[in-house]
């Protein structure tokens, strides 16, 4: 098994993939040149596309804090009103303004929801996205490929054999 960050062998990685929000990784790799910008963390063919938020070289090792996607969901956006817009139009406008990309496999039913009126707040893109998905009874997260997925989580019904004790 080989894990690399921008082609450098990884020595240590702490990866957090929440069910809602942005995945993050703290990585230490072999190398002598600090990383910046967009990078790919590859673990035996499973790729995570993100952006170096902070990093440097310490004691001959490259260290980087990586955020999924373009790393721009903390970017402040201006307030903006919408009338008779679909959720997709509002979300696309928000993500494009922040430099992020909407995932193609986002839930079409959620994206088609008509919003008679919506007010985007002057706040971070991520906070605005959370406000909107809460109203839509949906969820959002940055996927491994760096795109932002919007939809409703569903889980298959489980039929487990069990013995009732009490």
């Amino acid at each position: 098994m080989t894990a690399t960050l921008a082609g450098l062998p990884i020595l240590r990685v702490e990866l957090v993939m929440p069910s809602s929000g942005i995945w993050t990784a703290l990585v230490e790799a072999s190398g002598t040149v600090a990383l910046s910008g967009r990078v790919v963390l590859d673990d035996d063919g499973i790729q995570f596309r993100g952006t170096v938020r902070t990093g440097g070289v310490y004691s001959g090792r490259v260290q980087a804090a990586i955020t999924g996607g373009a790393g721009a969901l903390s970017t402040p956006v201006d307030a903006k009103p919408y009338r008779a817009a679909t959720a997709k139009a509002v979300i696309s406008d928000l993500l494009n303004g922040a430099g992020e990309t909407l995932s193609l496999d986002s839930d079409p039913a959620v994206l088609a929801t008509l919003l008679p009126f919506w007010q985007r707040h002057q706040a971070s893109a991520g906070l605005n996205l959370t406000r909107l998905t809460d109203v839509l009874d949906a969820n959002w997260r940055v996927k491994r490929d760096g795109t932002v997925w919007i939809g409703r989580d569903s889980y298959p019904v489980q039929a487990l054999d069990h013995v009732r004790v009490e």
Side-chain angles (χ1 to χ4, degrees), residues 59-138:
S59 300
R61 294 181 177 183
V62 174
Q63 294 183 345
I66 301 165
T67 300
L73 288 166
S74 61
T75 302
V77 295
D78 291 330
K80 183 176 180 180
Y82 296 87
R83 288 196 185 274
T86 63
K88 182 176 183 175
V90 174
I91 291 166
S92 295
D93 188 39
L94 177 64
L95 293 178
N96 290 338
E100 296 286 351
T101 305
L102 181 64
S103 176
L104 296 176
D105 66 350
S106 292
D107 187 335
V110 172
L111 296 177
T113 304
L114 183 63
L115 302 166
F117 178 81
W118 183 256
Q119 176 66 45
R120 186 171 80 185
H121 287 243
Q122 185 171 353
S124 72
L127 182 59
N128 274 288
L129 197 53
T130 298
R131 281 186 61 247
L132 181 54
T133 53
D134 284 350
V135 168
L136 296 171
D137 191 29

